[in-house]
Amino acid sequence: CRQMVSDPPWRQNGEPSPSIWDAKNPSTVTPGRYTHILEGSCPIILSAPHGGNLDLGLPDRRMINTPDRQNVRQLCRETDLNTAQLACAVEAQLRNRGVNATLVVSKVLRSKVDLNRPEGLCSECHQGFEAWHEYHSAIRGGLRRALEEHPQAHLFDLHGQGHREANEVGHVLTNKVLRESCLDDYAGASSCRSLSVCFSLEDMVRGEHSIGTQLERHGFPAVPSQSTPHPCACDPVKGCPCTGYDVTSPLV
């Protein structure tokens, strides 16, 4: 997140409009009131649910976090700073290399709708539920299109965090599992399990070719990686239940 491109198009314009992108490739930009969507042709989908800045007059999410709405506690409402810009920057870099990824970035403030929650808990109003459906439909559409042309697809879900000075790469593996000497027995539990027919889980998660190790080679501390195979015992690494990777960067 330390090296950002300019703000996403809807922030530059002050309106939730994809007009700047239309001039570049009008056939692949999908207008969305709540979500910035760029349809790609390669098996890579980039998503950022918590980087939006639009209020849209929606009510704030309440301090309720369970389906029965009885367990009251403080909700996480903070924006994951720079994740929208990071997603756009990654998409632009891939496009410059001839790789057209699908980009799905929420425009709406997390305090209004949390797209990483079940539909019934994501918002306090009908517009929030519409935003949830628009966002997740775009991701499902990107995965469906990719799998029509390719044997596999990869979803990279971008988040931010402020509790460690390192990038977290989640594979839906707990800290307890990450502390095992070899991860290959847990391939079926990982979000990148479909790749286990080609690569060992150990190598994908913290081996020489893992995302964490590659980030560290370019000067960005990461966990898990070859040098940091797991977090400390009391600090579980975050992971999102999606088919792919959850990349959580420091909020800077």
Side-chain angles (χ1 to χ4, degrees), residues 7 11 13 19 41 63 67 71 163 172 176 179 194 197 203 215 228 236 245:
D7 280 347
R11 291 187 177 180
N13 289 352
S19 58
S41 57
M63 296 171 62
N71 182 20
H163 56 267
V172 196
K176 181 180 179 180
R179 295 180 73 81
S194 64
V197 298
D203 188 41
L215 284 170
T228 311
Y245 302 89

Side-chain angles (χ1 to χ4, degrees), residues 39 89 93 170 183 194 220 222 224 246:
E39 296 180 358
Q93 286 295 317
L183 301 177
S194 64
F220 300 95
D246 172 45

Side-chain angles (χ1 to χ4, degrees), residues 59-62 75-77 110-114 122 124:
D60 286 339
R61 292 164 51 230
R62 295 184 293 174
L75 289 180
C76 184
R77 300 178 181 176
R110 186 184 191 179
S111 61
K112 306 299 181 180
V113 54
D114 192 331
C122 72
E124 303 295 331

